[in-house]
Amino acid sequence: MADILEPLTWTCPVPLRDQERVVMGHGGGGKLSSELIEHLFLPAFGSQALAAAPRDSAVLDAGSTRLAFTTDSYVVQPLFFPGGCIGDLAVNGTVNDLAMSGAVPLALSTGFILEEGLQLEVLGRVAEAMGRAAKRAGVRLVTGDTKVVGHGSADGLYVNTSGVGIVAAGVELSPDAARPGDRVVLSGPIGEHGVAIMSVREGVEFGTRVDSDSAPLTELVLAMLAACPGGTGAGIRAMRDPTRGGLAGSLCEIAEASGVGVRLDEAAVPVPDAVEAACAFLGLDPLHVANEGKLVAFVDPTVVGDVVAAMRANELGRQACVIGTVTDEHPGMVVGRTAFGATRVIDRPLGEQLPRIC
Amino acid sequence: MADILEPLTWTCPVPLRDQERVVMGHGGGGKLSSELIEHLFLPAFGSQALAAAPRDSAVLDAGSTRLAFTTDSYVVQPLFFPGGCIGDLAVNGTVNDLAMSGAVPLALSTGFILEEGLQLEVLGRVAEAMGRAAKRAGVRLVTGDTKVVGHGSADGLYVNTSGVGIVAAGVELSPDAARPGDRVVLSGPIGEHGVAIMSVREGVEFGTRVDSDSAPLTELVLAMLAACPGGTGAGIRAMRDPTRGGLAGSLCEIAEASGVGVRLDEAAVPVPDAVEAACAFLGLDPLHVANEGKLVAFVDPTVVGDVVAAMRANELGRQACVIGTVTDEHPGMVVGRTAFGATRVIDRPLGEQLPRIC
């Protein structure tokens, strides 16, 4: 056991950009987050860490059952925003992390950290939103925990949802499985969640109101898997929900994990007018803005037609489209072809573009 | 989906002691915590809530596998204390919640909320303690998440660990299964974790240094189950690890859930001298002080001898002893017989005796 009188034993094996302290970007889902995992958590956890390609959820053998398991803490500010609140976000986000492994959610846990003085009515509204979102996603809230910290030690409330789900036999999705020739499929327009948060936080509106796209993607994923030969997704290599870090972050992660290049046709990526306007106003790239109800999939060209057709038949995939191709050139990199025919390297953000987005 | 412009719909169905705001006691594991679950979370979660007797972990059917699932957030202050730190506490606490359902831990998740400006070295030491504790408990850290909040919005760091485990066929432990005639068994001396925290927080020492008892109980539980006829714990009705709320809280919860009375022989409960001294100094009842490496079990009298013998053969159960009996008198209540022969009703604390204890 650790002993308070022991000398400090931990030393960072690789300098974290010469930083000695946590910065906001370490929680942003970008390069700094990856470095924290690679250079701090994995070495410190030692032999007990499951070192693997970064996944939205781990897939484990539990007896004869294939179990997906994931966790996310939610610290979004403000707690309520256009189109949702921290409660439905926490349910949908964790359900979607399970769905990205092809899992049907079985149960969620709810771990609250409450600030002393929080109005019970606010907590009640958040919990009610969680119950409604869980019902929509077909998942139960089976176990929970509540801690209270003093006034000033949390911004109202934080909530962690962890989730377990079942992965059907034959379903194999992995971020390191993309191959040259695969098509990149996006389920719908990007940037709505991030812009919804920004609009309330900054008190600005961008033409029409933008609502968060927070939604559970399980049904959409199951329809995609069923559209493939054998019905278990043969030909779908990898899926990811582009939350923190945006679409650019998800594409870069899969390109890196699979050791392939991605050619992105930027003109094919649907960006709502209001998102475009907000990003122009704020100096942001829509490719870096968070989504909470979208997915990107890497799909064999022989099945991509059937997969996109199945997606378009689902409420949450009506605007599904092919946005790019996997190449064996420039492995680990994403290269965009802009609407004007120019090409550019699309990098993921270093740190946090919009802090406290989820 | 919740809409920010919708009228507030949630109203508390039962007044929570006429309170409108969260108080520290709502996180204390006592009556206020129970009321928050019963009157706020369960009604607000609606049909998706798993309403059941309060358990340390939920047990679910996942295909042909019986899965235990639990979550806990850790907000202990200070982060490092005699005998441990928030890291090993977070691993052992969640492993023990699984063990109380008779489960062998399969995997843990790690969800960090970090405060901007936290020294990376502190985070590294906490993570290293988690890796070591996970190794000792035989469990892997398979999935994680990191969020960062601004300076002043968290006290260094908070960490959530959720866990999944496998419950063997035939193992049936439930807090509502205690029966009159059962013996109450305690695995060892009480109060060490709470006193260890208090000693550093208050800067006082109580004779000898008291170390937290933070430890993983899986092996002890498996030895107890194996000691019963059939090897799957037949005759052990319920187990609980007396953390927040202390031994009194655990006994009261099982008495209430099972609708039975408990007669506690207070003189039989081992209390270390330094814990006794600290509690006298601070005006606390050792029965209310938190433990992080102890369990209390309700056991059929025909097997209790074998169970206690098996416990004493385990490092963490050397001082195991029978401390009471279940009766059909005063259902839902715990009555103590003091060392002087007097009797008293032992209630669980209303709220938080020692805030931020875990």
Side-chain angles (χ1 to χ4, degrees), chain A residues 22-53:
Chain A
V22 170
V23 297
M24 293 302 289
H26 283 125
K31 285 183 206 169
L32 286 170
S33 293
S34 299
E35 289 178 1
L36 195 68
I37 294 169
E38 187 183 346
H39 298 312
L40 191 146
F41 285 122
L42 292 182
F45 286 164
S47 59
Q48 298 314 114
L50 190 72

Side-chain angles (χ1 to χ4, degrees), chain A residues 110-118 123 144-150 153-154 156-160, chain B residues 22-30 33 36-37 41 70-77 86 89-90 93-94 97 113 158-161 193 243-245 290 292 352 354-358:
Chain A
T110 60
F112 287 92
I113 298 175
L114 308 178
E115 185 179 3
E116 187 183 16
L118 176 73
L123 180 60
D145 175 56
T146 303
K147 295 293 191 310
V148 179
V149 296
S153 293
L157 68 89
Y158 305 141
V159 61
N160 175 285
Chain B
V22 170
V23 297
M24 292 302 289
H26 283 125
S33 293
L36 195 67
I37 294 168
F41 285 122
T70 189
T71 193
D72 259 321
S73 296
Y74 294 83
V75 299
V76 64
Q77 280 291 321
I86 191 172
L89 197 64
T94 293
D97 281 346
I113 298 175
Y158 304 141
V159 60
N160 175 286
T161 46
H193 177 71
T243 56
R244 286 180 295 175
E292 292 288 346
E352 193 130 27
L354 307 173
R356 313 279 297 270
I357 204 77
C358 61

Side-chain angles (χ1 to χ4, degrees), chain B residues 69-108:
Chain B
F69 182 32
T70 189
T71 193
D72 259 321
S73 296
Y74 294 83
V75 299
V76 64
Q77 280 291 321
L79 297 175
F80 298 85
F81 45 81
C85 74
I86 191 172
D88 51 275
L89 197 64
V91 169
N92 290 333
T94 293
V95 163
N96 291 346
D97 281 346
L98 294 173
M100 295 306 105
S101 292
V104 176
L106 179 67
L108 299 189

Side-chain angles (χ1 to χ4, degrees), chain A:
Chain A
M1 254 180 292
D3 188 305
I4 197 173
L5 300 178
E6 276 174 15
L8 313 183
T9 59
W10 186 85
T11 51
C12 184
V14 178
L16 287 159
R17 293 180 187 264
D18 297 324
Q19 285 165 4
E20 291 185 349
R21 292 179 181 273
V22 170
V23 297
M24 293 302 289
H26 283 125
K31 285 183 206 169
L32 286 170
S33 293
S34 299
E35 289 178 1
L36 195 68
I37 294 169
E38 187 183 346
H39 298 312
L40 191 146
F41 285 122
L42 292 182
F45 286 164
S47 59
Q48 298 314 114
L50 190 72
R55 302 181 65 120
D56 291 308
S57 48
V59 178
L60 314 163
D61 289 320
S64 56
T65 304
R66 291 174 73 215
L67 200 70
F69 182 32
T70 190
T71 192
D72 259 322
S73 296
Y74 295 83
V75 299
V76 65
Q77 281 290 322
L79 298 175
F80 297 86
F81 45 80
C85 75
I86 191 172
D88 51 275
L89 196 64
V91 170
N92 290 333
T94 293
V95 163
N96 291 346
D97 281 345
L98 295 173
M100 295 306 105
S101 292
V104 176
L106 179 67
L108 299 189
S109 63
T110 60
F112 287 92
I113 298 175
L114 308 178
E115 185 179 3
E116 187 183 16
L118 176 73
Q119 289 181 59
L120 286 173
E121 192 229 359
V122 169
L123 180 60
R125 287 171 63 202
V126 168
E128 197 178 57
M130 295 179 81
R132 279 202 303 264
K135 188 169 186 178
R136 180 179 176 195
V139 66
R140 303 203 70 178
L141 308 172
V142 300
T143 188
D145 175 56
T146 303
K147 295 293 191 310
V148 179
V149 296
H151 184 68
S153 293
D155 295 323
L157 68 89
Y158 305 141
V159 61
N160 175 285
T161 47
S162 300
V164 290
I166 308 286
V167 183
V171 174
E172 297 290 350
L173 301 172
S174 182
D176 58 4
R179 302 178 198 172
D182 285 351
R183 301 295 188 266
V184 182
V185 177
L186 177 67
S187 66
I190 63 170
E192 291 163 329
H193 177 71
V195 168
I197 299 290
M198 286 303 286
S199 68
V200 277
R201 207 187 283 164
E202 304 296 325
V204 287
E205 295 226 349
F206 311 103
T208 52
R209 186 179 100 164
V210 178
D211 278 2
S212 169
D213 58 341
S214 173
L217 295 169
T218 308
E219 292 299 327
L220 177 63
V221 169
L222 295 180
M224 294 167 69
L225 299 178
C228 296
T232 58
I236 304 181
R237 323 282 191 206
M239 282 192 203
R240 206 154 195 105
D241 57 333
T243 56
R244 286 181 294 175
L247 180 60
S250 293
L251 295 178
C252 288
E253 279 173 21
I254 292 181
E256 287 168 20
S258 297
V260 297
V262 172
R263 267 205 312 263
L264 178 69
D265 178 7
E266 293 195 45
V269 177
V271 182
D273 288 345
V275 169
E276 192 81 63
C279 286
F281 182 78
L282 297 165
L284 302 176
D285 185 337
L287 293 177
H288 287 157
V289 178
N291 312 274
E292 292 289 346
K294 298 297 180 302
L295 67 81
V296 61
F298 286 63
V299 185
D300 188 283
T302 62
V303 300
V304 70
D306 291 339
V307 168
V308 170
M311 292 172 77
R312 288 184 178 161
N314 182 286
E315 177 202 347
L316 296 174
R318 296 243 181 276
Q319 297 182 62
C321 54
V322 174
I323 59 167
T325 308
V326 177
T327 75
D328 52 9
E329 296 164 17
H330 50 79
M333 284 174 63
V334 179
V335 173
R337 186 182 163 86
T338 70
F340 307 106
T343 59
R344 61 164 181 158
V345 172
I346 293 171
D347 208 355
R348 48 183 177 149
L350 179 67
E352 192 129 29
Q353 189 193 40
L354 307 173
R356 313 279 299 268
I357 204 77
C358 62

